[in-house]
Amino acid sequence: MDIVIGLEVHIQLQTNTKLFCGCSTNYRDSKPNKHTCPICLGLPGSLPKLNQKALEYGIKAGLALDCNIADSMQFHRKNYFYPDLPKGFQISQYDSPLATEGTVELSNGKKIEIRRIHLEEDPGRLEHPAGKKQSYVDYNRSGVPLLEIVTEPDMSSPQEARDFLRKIREIMEYLKIFDGGLEGSLRCDANISIEGGGRAEVKNISSYKGAEKALNYEITRQKNLMRRGKEVKRETRHFNEEQGITKPSREKEEEHDYRYFPEPDLPRVTISKEKIKEIEESLPELPDEKRDRFQKEYGLSQDQAESLTTSLFLADFYEEIACQIDPELTATWVADTLKGELSYRGINLKESNIEKEDLLFILRYLKEDEITEKGAIKVMRSTLDENKKPEKIIEEENLRSISLDEISEIAKRVIKENPEAIEDYRQGKEKAVNYLVGQVMKETNGRADPGETNKLIQKQLEEID
Amino acid sequence: MGFISDKEITEEDVKHIANLAKIDLDEVEIKKFKKQFNDILDYFNKIDEAETEGVEPTYHGLNLKNVTREDEVKDELSQKEALENANESEDGFFKSPRVKE
Amino acid sequence: MNAKEIVNEIKRGEKTAAGFLFECKNKIEKKEEEINAFISLDLERSIEKAKEIDKKIKEGKDVGKLAGLPIAVKDSITTSNFKTTCGSKMLEGYHPPYDSTVVSKIKEEDGIVIGKANCDEFCMGSSTETSYFGSTRNPVDEERVPGGSSGGSAASVKYGANPLALGSDTGGSVRCPASFCGVYGLKPTYGQVSRYGLIAYASSLDQIGPIANSIEGISLLFNVISGSNDMDSTKVEEERGGSQIELSLNDLNIGIPKEFYGEGVDEEVEEKVKENLDQLRDKGAKLKEISIPSMEYALSAYYIVAMSEASSNLARFDGIRYGFKQKMNDNWEKVFSQVRKTGFGEEVRRRIMLGTYALSTGYYEKYYEKALKVRTLLKRDFEKAFKEVDFIITPTMPFRAFEIDEKIEDPLSLYMADILTVPVNMAGLPSLSVPCETNGLPIGLQIIGDSFEEDRIIELARKIKEE
């Protein structure tokens, strides 16, 4: 049975101010209704004025997704009532959007067509405190610029949908117009149908993991209905992220009549070829391009290159170190070791204590045999957990590798102090060597190279004969 | 979809419009508005006769273009000013009638 | 004395601003109770303000162009010092936290906003009878309406509460009351005056304009309010020249559009306007009959556009953030519907619902879009006309002020009263209503000019008034 999925993705643009007024978009760290003005509160008499930056960001996104940028676009009013919508309409775009006809390539090589991209304003935020008779409204979010990206129904599995969202996030972050790490900065609605059934529109998906979950749930639900010979109705459903299920939306679709009409308070926006060219030339390297270049330039495997380009921050982190020291060694340490340690701690690189200079320092010591691999990992962990500089950790925990001469001295002493071990060795018990190596490691606090120590001890034991 | 210019507005239509416009109506008003709407629309239908083949609609009062502003924070209200006219407020929030999740 | 002369006397110290305000206060105390031109008034604060300005003048400090002039502002225009109701129960007690651009400009020029003038609810009417705060009476004949929707503004000027007032004009709301009350009222070109702070009725048609008892007053206030702003995306940026225009009647062609005369226009009104036209001809102007063929669709198209935009503009009134307060114990849809039933008057509800219908699926093309195509036709008609003539002159209203309660029960007949003013808004043009009957009930003639030609219109009005 063919599964058909299309997405409408909303991402918040990282402008300083809202789409149509001068209020700060920084609502997450702020008390309710602290970033509002007559415009985003919808006070009578106020008028919108378009944020130049938001327009530019929209064009950037359109170009990065290979869209045609409109030479002229118009805002429309989408009329509906809701307590979080202060004007009783949302300023959005309708038949004259910012960009159309783009593509995004998934990891599996499949191309997903973008139908359109447009700008619109975010509504306010509603809370429903338990035990209260009313809902609470915070209009700080009201008017934050959103970019809506609408795909063709080109995806055929929840995994593809998730991958698509991941790609969008990567690209938008590379453009520095979006921060996917912020809660609620990416939301989407998904249309999903199975051959022979009606299409469900699932609303209220707020992460790419959520998208996969919601779609998997829908597939099971729709298949179950079909198996029992029941009709899959065309309907709007609401995703509950906590429960991982979708429920029919209480609003009836036929009651919606958004009465779109051109926003009379906002003149048309024309976008010149020169402007498009200017923005196009300023576009940074995008994730796919970077991945290819990393493979070519630094000799990385596809997996490594892929892993190192999932975020611009990570890629920059890697590349800055790689330029100064062995790129392949760096790739292993960043893509495998560091990412593993971070994921164990459930944090991302940006949030962590480790700086580029820290890892560079560790890798330099490792490369020059000043610390052992084990020691390097230890330093990395302490940097992450204790927010100390590697240099200090090596000092404090005495992790610097020690020379063969020193090891030799310690080994001699250890052998001397353990005559029974010599006896065991003579009787052919190989374990005795391991015991002695262990003693040396203990004495050196793990700084001795175990292989070298083993060789040294065997040699010294032979010499005693 | 074609439209029927002679179609009478019914009481159902009035109710549907009132629901879209979120205006509560009682039975008497529904009847009254139905009659008035039909009279008024009957008059408005005169524009059907205007020859507008190939004519573009004029959406805006003035043909301006590209009016934008810089992305600079300014003119925010204080929380107190924002909430001053609220029906009810609590803890910095506006209260609204209950919206079920 | 006209507003300009008063300001000059105040600036020269021949008259004090406070003294003039007391004169106005006396008239208000005598007439206001009967006329009901104001929804809010604050004479005490105004007198304080006037004294401050007098002090500045005494100290030799610079004062603005409107120094000490009392001004009434229509209650559709947002003010931070006064509650702003737009004539509606929906906004009873609403205290805006900001000033509209025009009010800021008046304040910058030391004008004194003494109060908020009554108007039809949300500017929807031509008689000021739909105001929740009661009808305003026409100072010329108190049994009659002052016109609308800026009825309070025109009435206040007429009875001498203030020499200047601001109104707003969506389909004639400045010119109609100017005509009915016998004062001047200018509707500027769309985009000439910032709408920021004007409670929107129909965004693509609304424009704020001055009302005054003299041409000088119109010119003075218009120059102040039409300056630059950065809040309205539909306002032109160019600064106006403000220089004196030279106009010679001998070079002028005046257009007389046949559709604006005859059927539906009161004979006496037509006669009076024609009398004025004859005088202009006698002074050297050439009169030319022209045609605005799309005129027959103008009223319908206007009302469809205005109601459609209004249905959206008035969607923000839900009783949460401001305005009419209702207990919020039911679900949100029920509460909203109750708020909007109780807070809006009947005419407002009628227009919101008709506008909602005109924008709804299946009717958008038939009504809204079609009406906007008719607007294009009207614009073209006027463009063509202005290739042949310099100005167009018509009656402002088809009749004189009617009696209170005469038309209010029949919405359609009230809509018809706007027939001669709405084409101007549809085409975005400037026009000025000039009083042209000095005996009995006033009559206004309307001078329509090409876009941004307000100064020339004002100059022509001067010529008409020159003996």
Side-chain angles (χ1 to χ4, degrees):
Chain A
M1 277 190 289
D2 276 350
I3 294 166
V4 179
I5 297 169
L7 295 176
E8 280 174 27
V9 189
H10 296 91
I11 63 161
Q12 284 180 338
L13 296 177
Q14 286 287 95
T15 49
N16 295 325
T17 64
K18 296 182 181 181
L19 187 51
F20 299 115
C21 65
C23 289
S24 164
T25 53
N26 183 18
Y27 65 88
R28 287 179 182 83
D29 306 327
S30 137
K31 294 209 166 97
N33 299 301
K34 287 276 262 187
H35 298 302
T36 68
C37 74
I39 299 164
C40 58
L41 279 180
L43 296 192
S46 64
L47 296 169
K49 195 162 191 184
L50 177 62
N51 182 343
Q52 170 76 38
K53 201 71 164 195
L55 173 65
E56 227 171 272
Y57 282 3
I59 297 172
K60 267 190 184 174
L63 289 170
L65 301 183
D66 274 333
C67 289
N68 299 326
I69 307 296
D71 49 16
S72 168
M73 65 162 209
Q74 175 64 48
F75 287 98
H76 274 65
R77 291 188 185 176
K78 179 180 183 179
N79 294 286
Y80 68 96
F81 288 90
Y82 210 61
D84 63 7
L85 197 66
K87 297 187 294 297
F89 58 82
Q90 179 194 34
I91 304 179
S92 180
Q93 297 193 272
Y94 184 54
D95 57 8
S96 183
L98 172 62
T100 51
E101 294 177 30
T103 46
V104 170
E105 192 179 322
L106 300 182
S107 311
N108 63 11
K110 182 168 169 181
K111 288 202 163 107
I112 306 301
E113 303 279 325
I114 305 289
R115 184 181 296 167
R116 54 181 278 149
I117 296 180
H118 74 243
L119 287 164
E120 64 183 27
E121 50 179 351
D122 214 344
R125 228 169 37 81
L126 279 168
E127 286 186 20
H128 318 279
K132 299 274 184 185
K133 274 197 182 133
Q134 278 94 21
S135 292
Y136 284 40
V137 205
D138 172 11
Y139 293 103
N140 281 342
R141 198 181 70 182
S142 162
V144 167
L146 291 178
L147 199 67
E148 179 171 321
I149 303 167
V150 185
T151 76
E152 295 295 339
D154 286 350
M155 283 155 276
S156 44
S157 71
Q159 293 72 32
E160 283 187 359
R162 178 177 171 166
D163 194 44
F164 175 83
L165 292 173
R166 192 178 60 80
K167 286 272 171 188
I168 290 287
R169 173 177 172 166
E170 273 176 33
I171 294 167
M172 298 305 151
E173 285 187 339
Y174 268 62
L175 296 173
K176 299 204 166 104
I177 64 173
F178 170 68
D179 184 350
L182 299 175
E183 196 214 330
S185 61
L186 180 146
R187 282 162 268 154
C188 85
D189 301 338
N191 289 305
I192 172 163
S193 62
I194 299 177
E195 203 181 348
R199 179 172 57 121
E201 188 184 356
V202 185
K203 296 204 174 254
N204 195 40
I205 300 170
S206 56
S207 67
Y208 52 85
K209 282 172 201 137
E212 191 178 17
K213 229 164 144 185
L215 289 168
N216 274 325
Y217 179 87
E218 265 306 299
I219 291 171
T220 312
R221 184 186 70 85
Q222 293 184 17
K223 281 189 174 164
N224 281 342
L225 282 174
M226 286 172 153
R227 197 173 303 131
R228 282 180 281 148
K230 287 192 176 154
E231 182 203 2
V232 179
K233 275 187 302 185
R234 183 183 169 150
E235 63 178 341
T236 304
R237 299 179 70 86
H238 201 83
F239 179 56
N240 184 319
E241 180 120 36
E242 273 165 43
Q243 300 175 327
I245 61 168
T246 70
K247 280 181 186 162
S249 183
R250 289 177 320 106
E251 314 142 53
K252 290 174 204 99
E253 222 168 309
E254 64 270 18
E255 279 179 18
H256 281 300
D257 184 344
Y258 292 124
R259 291 158 281 136
Y260 282 99
F261 72 101
E263 168 58 278
D265 291 330
L266 291 168
R268 281 196 89 83
V269 176
T270 57
I271 305 163
S272 67
K273 292 224 158 52
E274 294 76 52
K275 180 83 192 160
I276 295 172
K277 199 165 165 239
E278 185 193 313
I279 294 178
E280 194 158 31
E281 279 164 3
S282 77
L283 283 186
E285 186 180 37
L286 295 174
D288 285 354
E289 293 162 359
K290 205 180 273 288
R291 194 189 58 214
D292 292 348
R293 182 169 63 81
F294 276 13
Q295 281 177 255
K296 260 185 234 139
E297 204 169 319
Y298 300 122
L300 307 185
S301 71
Q302 194 181 334
D303 281 354
Q304 273 179 328
E306 185 105 31
S307 159
L308 289 172
T309 51
T310 50
S311 87
L312 183 59
F313 190 79
L314 177 70
D316 285 348
F317 183 93
Y318 163 74
E319 194 161 21
E320 223 168 283
I321 301 169
C323 289
Q324 300 179 61
I325 198 167
D326 184 346
E328 281 170 67
L329 178 78
T330 311
T332 311
W333 276 81
V334 176
D336 302 337
T337 321
L338 179 55
K339 274 185 104 175
E341 294 293 333
L342 290 172
S343 117
Y344 174 74
R345 285 163 182 76
I347 53 172
N348 65 36
L349 184 60
K350 220 181 212 169
E351 298 159 347
S352 78
N353 296 319
I354 199 159
E355 311 269 346
K356 284 171 214 142
E357 301 73 46
D358 300 335
L359 186 61
L360 184 61
F361 186 92
I362 296 170
L363 294 182
R364 276 207 174 115
Y365 265 54
L366 180 67
K367 211 144 188 213
E368 287 157 20
D369 288 326
E370 294 279 334
I371 46 172
T372 61
E373 235 179 80
K374 218 171 143 189
I377 291 173
K378 213 165 171 182
V379 176
M380 185 183 274
R381 285 181 183 158
S382 299
T383 309
L384 287 170
D385 295 336
E386 292 160 40
N387 193 15
K388 281 187 195 159
K389 289 282 138 194
E391 205 172 350
K392 203 162 177 221
I393 298 163
I394 292 170
E395 219 48 63
E396 279 177 7
E397 301 193 24
N398 213 3
L399 292 172
R400 193 183 291 270
S401 302
I402 40 182
S403 65
L404 280 180
D405 288 350
E406 273 179 87
I407 299 173
S408 177
E409 283 303 310
I410 296 165
K412 262 181 202 156
R413 208 175 65 232
V414 165
I415 292 169
K416 213 168 166 185
E417 286 164 4
N418 291 285
E420 68 282 15
I422 304 170
E423 203 51 41
D424 287 350
Y425 179 76
R426 281 189 180 140
Q427 288 170 13
K429 289 185 183 163
E430 290 290 323
K431 263 193 191 161
V433 178
N434 291 342
Y435 173 75
L436 289 169
V437 170
Q439 289 305 108
V440 172
M441 295 307 287
K442 206 168 157 188
E443 290 268 325
T444 61
N445 206 7
R447 288 176 299 156
D449 185 291
E452 293 295 336
T453 309
N454 191 303
K455 272 188 221 157
L456 264 170
I457 286 183
Q458 290 218 29
K459 196 173 155 224
Q460 284 184 12
L461 287 171
E462 295 298 322
E463 278 166 9
I464 290 170
D465 280 348
Chain B
M1 124 175 37
F3 17 75
I4 321 104
S5 60
D6 297 331
K7 185 177 162 276
E8 280 252 317
I9 296 222
T10 63
E11 287 185 18
E12 278 312 304
D13 293 334
V14 175
K15 282 185 205 161
H16 175 68
I17 299 163
N19 180 44
L20 279 178
K22 293 282 171 285
I23 292 175
D24 195 46
L25 294 182
D26 58 39
E27 288 303 316
V28 179
E29 285 171 314
I30 290 170
K31 287 199 166 59
K32 182 174 168 187
F33 279 131
K34 185 196 127 179
K35 161 117 190 21
Q36 288 179 342
F37 289 178
N38 278 312
D39 289 350
I40 294 167
L41 289 170
D42 202 38
Y43 179 83
F44 287 178
N45 281 334
K46 187 168 181 53
I47 62 167
D48 283 348
E49 298 160 20
E51 181 49 67
T52 55
E53 182 80 30
V55 175
E56 285 298 313
T58 299
Y59 294 112
H60 292 89
L62 190 64
N63 194 19
L64 287 174
K65 291 218 163 68
N66 302 335
V67 184
T68 58
R69 60 174 183 84
E70 297 296 316
D71 185 26
E72 286 160 9
V73 176
K74 62 175 203 174
D75 300 334
E76 289 189 351
L77 294 174
S78 69
Q79 189 191 56
K80 187 170 164 280
E81 286 172 308
L83 294 170
E84 198 187 336
N85 288 288
N87 186 346
E88 283 182 59
S89 65
E90 197 172 296
D91 300 335
F93 289 92
F94 287 89
K95 285 212 221 172
S96 90
R98 187 80 183 176
V99 175
K100 290 210 187 77
E101 281 262 74
Chain C
M1 232 188 320
N2 71 45
K4 210 164 215 162
E5 290 162 352
I6 297 164
V7 176
N8 286 341
E9 289 200 357
I10 291 173
K11 282 187 177 175
R12 287 197 299 262
E14 291 161 11
K15 198 183 194 90
T16 64
F20 184 64
L21 235 157
F22 275 111
E23 284 176 37
C24 295
K25 185 170 175 251
N26 284 338
K27 286 180 189 150
I28 291 168
E29 279 164 359
K30 225 158 77 196
K31 298 288 274 182
E32 177 56 22
E33 208 179 309
E34 274 303 306
I35 303 298
N36 191 33
F38 289 92
I39 293 174
S40 317
L41 257 177
D42 192 342
L43 293 170
E44 253 170 67
R45 193 173 54 200
S46 302
I47 288 166
E48 284 313 305
K49 182 83 196 142
K51 284 178 180 164
E52 280 169 34
I53 290 162
D54 287 332
K55 191 162 167 259
K56 268 202 207 165
I57 292 168
K58 229 178 204 166
E59 289 167 355
K61 288 183 185 152
D62 280 347
V63 286
K65 290 179 193 141
L66 299 173
L69 278 185
I71 298 168
V73 171
K74 187 182 185 181
D75 212 21
S76 61
I77 298 170
T78 291
T79 44
S80 60
N81 294 341
F82 293 92
K83 63 187 167 88
T84 298
T85 69
C86 217
S88 181
K89 182 180 187 178
M90 186 59 100
L91 282 175
E92 198 177 6
Y94 166 58
H95 276 275
Y98 77 108
D99 271 325
S100 50
T101 302
V102 288
V103 167
S104 300
K105 287 185 182 297
I106 287 175
K107 287 181 174 176
E108 277 162 28
E109 296 295 343
D110 291 318
I112 302 173
V113 177
I114 62 164
K116 301 301 292 293
N118 198 11
C119 58
D120 281 296
E121 186 181 5
F122 287 107
C123 309
M124 296 177 179
S126 312
S127 63
T128 317
E129 290 170 285
T130 68
S131 169
Y132 174 67
F133 303 95
S135 306
T136 295
R137 290 172 181 273
N138 191 324
V140 182
D141 176 349
E142 292 177 13
E143 297 309 309
R144 291 177 186 269
V145 301
S149 63
S150 314
S153 301
S156 72
V157 168
K158 185 64 189 179
Y159 85 68
N162 32 256
L164 300 177
L166 282 185
S168 60
D169 190 316
T170 305
S173 285
V174 160
R175 291 158 288 156
C176 161
S179 168
F180 281 6
C181 292
V183 294
Y184 295 83
L186 174 71
K187 183 254 161 211
T189 312
Y190 185 86
Q192 181 62 267
V193 177
S194 171
R195 290 184 294 120
Y196 194 77
L198 169 64
I199 298 178
Y201 165 17
S203 311
S204 74
L205 301 165
D206 296 341
Q207 197 65 192
I208 293 171
I211 293 174
N213 56 10
S214 64
I215 300 168
E216 300 311 322
I218 292 287
S219 166
L220 179 64
L221 189 50
F222 173 63
N223 277 317
V224 169
I225 61 173
S226 61
S228 68
N229 91 111
D230 63 351
M231 299 301 277
D232 179 352
S233 308
T234 64
K235 176 170 174 354
V236 288
E237 279 307 310
E238 296 88 53
E239 284 283 344
R240 297 182 49 259
S243 56
Q244 195 74 25
I245 299 270
E246 289 298 326
L247 209 61
S248 161
L249 286 178
N250 286 322
D251 307 329
L252 289 187
N253 286 307
I254 309 262
I256 317 294
K258 56 176 191 241
E259 294 85 359
F260 287 66
Y261 293 82
E263 201 200 324
V265 179
D266 181 278
E267 269 176 41
E268 281 175 36
V269 169
E270 185 161 334
E271 245 169 59
K272 200 74 206 173
V273 173
K274 286 199 164 150
E275 228 171 74
N276 277 269
L277 285 169
D278 288 344
Q279 283 166 17
L280 274 175
R281 189 181 51 207
D282 295 346
K283 290 180 197 167
K286 287 174 210 71
L287 304 186
K288 200 166 177 182
E289 190 182 271
I290 57 165
S291 172
I292 303 292
S294 313
M295 181 65 185
E296 58 174 319
Y297 311 117
L299 192 75
S300 300
Y302 162 78
Y303 269 100
I304 291 166
V305 174
M307 289 172 176
S308 299
E309 291 182 10
S311 74
S312 174
N313 285 328
L314 271 63
R316 69 190 62 204
F317 299 100
D318 57 22
I320 293 180
R321 294 163 301 282
Y322 43 79
F324 182 67
K325 290 172 175 53
Q326 169 113 4
K327 277 226 156 60
M328 299 190 290
N329 290 338
D330 221 323
N331 83 47
W332 71 272
E333 285 174 289
K334 279 205 180 130
V335 174
F336 279 23
S337 301
Q338 275 299 322
V339 165
R340 294 166 62 76
K341 174 203 180 91
T342 322
F344 290 138
E346 186 178 314
E347 183 59 29
V348 175
R349 282 182 287 149
R350 184 157 42 236
R351 293 196 194 188
I352 289 174
M353 286 194 283
L354 279 167
T356 301
Y357 182 69
L359 286 175
S360 66
T361 308
Y363 299 95
Y364 178 88
E365 293 84 357
K366 175 177 164 59
Y367 290 113
Y368 189 62
E369 200 175 72
K370 180 82 179 182
L372 292 176
K373 287 179 178 173
V374 170
R375 182 199 263 186
T376 308
L377 297 181
L378 272 162
K379 273 178 101 98
R380 286 184 192 165
D381 287 353
F382 278 105
E383 273 163 26
K384 196 171 155 239
F386 280 117
K387 282 192 183 124
E388 295 175 42
V389 299
D390 300 288
F391 298 98
I392 294 168
I393 291 182
T394 77
T396 305
M397 297 299 290
F399 34 70
R400 302 194 229 207
F402 46 86
E403 283 176 16
I404 290 172
D405 291 337
E406 186 185 323
K407 289 181 190 284
I408 197 70
E409 283 309 312
D410 182 3
L412 199 51
S413 80
L414 204 53
Y415 299 170
M416 305 277 194
D418 300 339
I419 183 85
L420 305 178
T421 47
V422 296
V424 169
N425 299 75
M426 289 292 270
L429 298 170
S431 92
L432 175 68
S433 180
V434 180
C436 63
E437 167 68 282
T438 38
N439 303 312
L441 273 182
I443 292 170
L445 72 74
Q446 170 171 243
I447 308 174
I448 306 169
D450 207 350
S451 292
F452 304 110
E453 300 231 304
E454 288 85 351
D455 290 332
R456 281 166 56 85
I457 293 176
I458 288 169
E459 199 46 41
L460 178 62
R462 271 201 195 101
K463 296 272 188 229
I464 291 174
K465 286 290 155 187
E466 266 171 19
E467 289 305 321

